[in-house]
Amino acid sequence: MAFLKVNSLSSRNTNTESGILRANNNTSVDVLLNSIAGESLQASWRCIAPLGRFVEIGKADSVQNSYHEVKRFLGSETFEGVDLTVVAKYEPDIFIKLLTEVLELYRTSAIEAVSPITSFGMSEIQIAMSLMQGGKHMGKNIIRSHGDEVALPPLIYTTIAHADASYPITGGTGGIGRSLASWLAKNGAKHIVLVSRSGSSSASAHALVEDIDILDNGVPIAVRKCDVSNQAQLEDLINGIQGTMPPTKDVSWCHNAPRFEYFIMLASLYSIVGTRGQAAYAATNTFIDSLTAFRRSQNLLASTIDIGSFEDVGCVAEAEQELRVVFSHLARDRIQEK
């Protein structure tokens, strides 16, 4: 089977419709096999003749439940979707028959492989994927292992926390802060400082210090009162830690603090998706994401984890019943700490 060059059209521009009609002597087509998506699919659909058949083998528009011009059905056109994985599942005999016939056509050179085929080495996977995502490739991209490439083993960090360092956690007396402290203690930390505006006055702070799991690891827990938005209080806190405890290797700290090993901030998923009645909350968490981006632009350490609502720890779990009802409407799917 051969195609003239004039009948080879690009699927990456808006001339799909005129190109198909021009290749068919400016008349509609009876059968069209399609794999392109978006506006190009709609343009191809408009090329179908009355009583014609449109066979869709792509999945992008189906997955996205995209709109189709249903007025085309006034000409008794047929729109069919074909997914061979579905055929294999429900009609395996038909699938095997089709596959056997295609392989025989290829064996006898009745059909040829897709062309061009661009080969990338293992170290060029990112380049190949970028071309795919940008829609800049033609034919097929394949990944091959070349003899001169060496596979690097993944990095394995055996030490997460250091026994000779202090780990302050801002907002540490809250539910998630307490969980982080417990996790650090179980992973090597021996000096943990929980920082909050209420200090050790809250019942939750007392409960944490007395937590049997942490005490069994021999980890002293210090609770300090500080509003980290107040520069003077923050400096007093830093000086106090450095004067009585090992140097800090901060987990969740402040932007102007000394250089450290970790700078990890917990923000909310609502900084990305938003939620009704929580504009200020979303803006606050968006600032945290932006601070991470700014620090990275300055070649400074920073990471943000945008989390959803925890069901068993944190403000939602500890809120009064009325407030929990409100939160239940904001996030139907909540996650568990463990």
Side-chain angles (χ1 to χ4, degrees), residues 10 19 22 106 117 122 124 134 156 169 188 240 257-258 287 291 293 316 327:
S10 172
R22 184 173 62 253
Y106 181 77
I117 295 178
M122 291 293 184
E124 300 174 309
I156 300 177
I169 304 176
F287 169 79
L291 178 58
V316 176
F327 276 112

Side-chain angles (χ1 to χ4, degrees), residues 90-107:
Y90 294 102
E91 296 288 349
D93 292 339
I94 295 178
F95 177 78
I96 293 173
K97 180 176 181 293
L98 290 172
L99 184 60
T100 301
E101 291 178 355
V102 170
L103 291 176
E104 179 62 19
L105 290 172
Y106 181 77
R107 188 188 67 82

